């Protein structure tokens, strides 16, 4: 695996497995990440927040209700309590026993086999920046596991990007947005040396893609789930797509 920033990486659009391979597997579980890697995704995307005992855990929603048999907020449970929950049956009974992973488990599973996009959920941002803030834990974990050069940390929350940009050893960072990029966004991305822009695919245009690429950013729209949208994004010249079905997306992209 070469450094994520290498331009040799972008000869064809990347396929990014959103929450793993969440069209066919329970999102943000080890089986979904393994399936995305097997399906040929270039990178997987996952969602990260903190448990009550301040461990980095991989789950999308603030509360447990939709994607596990637990109830209540993730931030009110310890990692051990979260690990007791079933995070697979809600999707299909054949996945009973899948757990909410700690981030370290996902990194150990995938290692340097595939690029990893860690989205820091906005609700995990702490303005007083404690020593064990999620962004510090994540970057330190990547450093210890020798994954800094093959990881991408993204967020809607610009403050996370500010914090990481100031670190001496840091992974590539990405800005996620539901809104078109304006001159302030472009200035911020340049100032923080942001690697990629992850817009909602519904708000981008040819000129937006061009503007961001001219500013030196890669463009990875989310969440592109139909062939028509995949072909459209490819036509706009994006650098990759974030999709729930990496296997299907690979077929659309290769057919263009
Ligand atoms: O990282 C892009 C996308 O995952 C952001 O939206 O809600 O699916 O985390 P969401
Ligand atoms: Ca996400």
């Amino acid at each position: 695996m070469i450094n994520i920033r290498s331009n040799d990486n972008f000869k064809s659009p990347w396929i990014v497995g959103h929450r793993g391979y969440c069209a066919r597997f329970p999102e943000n579980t080890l089986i979904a990440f393994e399936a995305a890697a097997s399906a040929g995704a270039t990178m997987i995307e996952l969602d990260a927040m903190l448990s009550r005992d301040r461990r980095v855990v991989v789950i999308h929603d603030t509360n447990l209700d939709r994607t596990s048999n637990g109830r209540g907020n993730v931030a009110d449970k310890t990692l051990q309590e979260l690990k007791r929950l079933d995070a697979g049956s809600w999707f299909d009974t054949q996945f009973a026993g899948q757990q909410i992973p700690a981030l370290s488990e996902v990194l150990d599973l995938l290692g340097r086999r595939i690029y990893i996009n860690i989205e820091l959920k906005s609700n995990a941002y702490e303005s007083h920046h404690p020593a064990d803030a999620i962004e510090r834990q994540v970057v330190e974990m990547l450093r210890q596991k020798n994954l800094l050069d093959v990881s991408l940390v993204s967020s809607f929350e610009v403050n996370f990007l500010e914090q990481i940009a100031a670190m001496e050893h840091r992974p590539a960072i990405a800005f996620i947005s539901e809104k078109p990029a304006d001159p302030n966004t472009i200035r911020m991305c340049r100032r923080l040396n942001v690697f990629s822009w992850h817009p909602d695919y519904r708000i981008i245009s040819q000129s937006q893609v061009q503007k961001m690429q001219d500013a030196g950013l890669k463009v990875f729209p989310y969440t592109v789930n139909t062939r028509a949208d995949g072909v459209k994004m490819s036509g706009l010249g994006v650098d990759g797509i974030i999709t729930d079905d990496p296997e299907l997306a690979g077929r659309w992209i290769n057919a263009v």
Side-chain angles (χ1 to χ4, degrees):
M1 290 264 289
I2 56 174
N3 190 306
I4 193 169
R5 293 173 177 279
S6 167
N7 270 331
D8 288 347
N9 258 334
F10 292 95
K11 288 176 181 153
S12 56
W14 282 28
I15 305 294
V16 183
H18 188 229
R19 309 179 193 175
Y21 191 157
C22 75
R24 288 177 47 194
F25 298 84
E27 65 182 57
N28 284 321
T29 61
L30 295 185
I31 199 171
F33 298 128
E34 187 63 57
S38 300
T42 326
M43 179 158 72
I44 58 100
E45 188 261 5
L46 60 81
D47 302 290
M49 64 183 79
L50 288 178
S51 62
R52 181 156 71 85
D53 51 346
R54 302 192 62 80
R55 300 289 300 276
V56 183
V57 292
V58 178
I59 183 167
H60 179 273
D61 297 0
T62 312
N63 69 51
L64 295 158
D65 303 28
R66 183 177 62 87
T67 60
S68 82
N69 61 348
R71 293 291 171 266
N73 287 336
V74 176
D76 294 334
K77 312 278 185 202
T78 64
L79 176 61
Q80 200 180 30
E81 288 167 338
L82 294 171
K83 298 298 291 178
R84 281 194 214 113
L85 302 176
D86 178 348
S89 295
W90 69 275
F91 188 82
D92 190 303
T93 50
Q94 68 173 300
F95 299 116
Q98 282 297 310
Q99 297 179 341
I100 295 168
L103 177 63
S104 59
E105 291 176 89
V106 181
L107 301 182
D108 289 343
L109 174 77
L110 299 173
R112 297 179 69 88
R113 281 194 286 149
I114 186 167
Y115 296 104
I116 301 175
N117 173 197
I118 300 165
E119 181 190 344
L120 302 181
K121 299 313 280 183
S122 303
N123 61 27
Y125 179 68
E126 296 170 292
S127 56
H128 61 296
H129 309 136
D132 62 352
I134 189 169
E135 69 275 18
R136 293 191 192 193
Q137 288 198 52
V138 167
V139 173
E140 178 56 18
M141 210 182 291
L142 293 172
R143 192 190 64 77
Q144 283 184 8
K145 294 181 187 293
N146 189 29
L147 296 172
L148 279 176
D149 62 321
V150 292
S151 301
L152 178 60
V153 177
S154 63
S155 193
F156 285 99
E157 176 54 73
V158 176
N159 284 311
F160 274 136
L161 307 185
E162 296 265 2
Q163 291 300 307
I164 296 173
M167 294 178 188
E168 188 184 352
H169 302 289
R170 65 176 188 90
I173 52 177
F175 178 51
I176 315 172
S177 183
E178 293 167 330
K179 288 187 269 177
D182 59 17
N184 283 336
T185 307
I186 296 174
R187 268 194 291 277
M188 178 279 289
C189 288
R190 279 201 164 127
R191 182 170 58 82
L192 301 180
N193 194 18
V194 171
F195 173 71
S196 52
W197 181 53
H198 299 187
D200 185 323
Y201 79 97
R202 291 166 297 192
I203 57 100
I204 63 169
S205 60
Q206 182 81 62
S207 71
Q208 282 276 305
V209 174
Q210 197 61 55
K211 247 190 256 175
M212 295 311 263
Q213 289 177 336
D214 287 348
L217 283 100
K218 304 296 179 196
V219 178
F220 296 97
Y222 74 92
T223 309
V224 182
N225 283 333
T226 67
R227 183 189 172 89
D229 289 327
V231 170
K232 183 174 168 201
M233 292 299 115
S234 193
L236 293 181
V238 301
D239 299 287
I241 56 169
I242 301 176
T243 178
D244 293 341
D245 196 324
E247 193 179 331
L248 274 182
R251 278 190 237 151
W252 310 327
I253 296 288
N254 290 328
V256 173

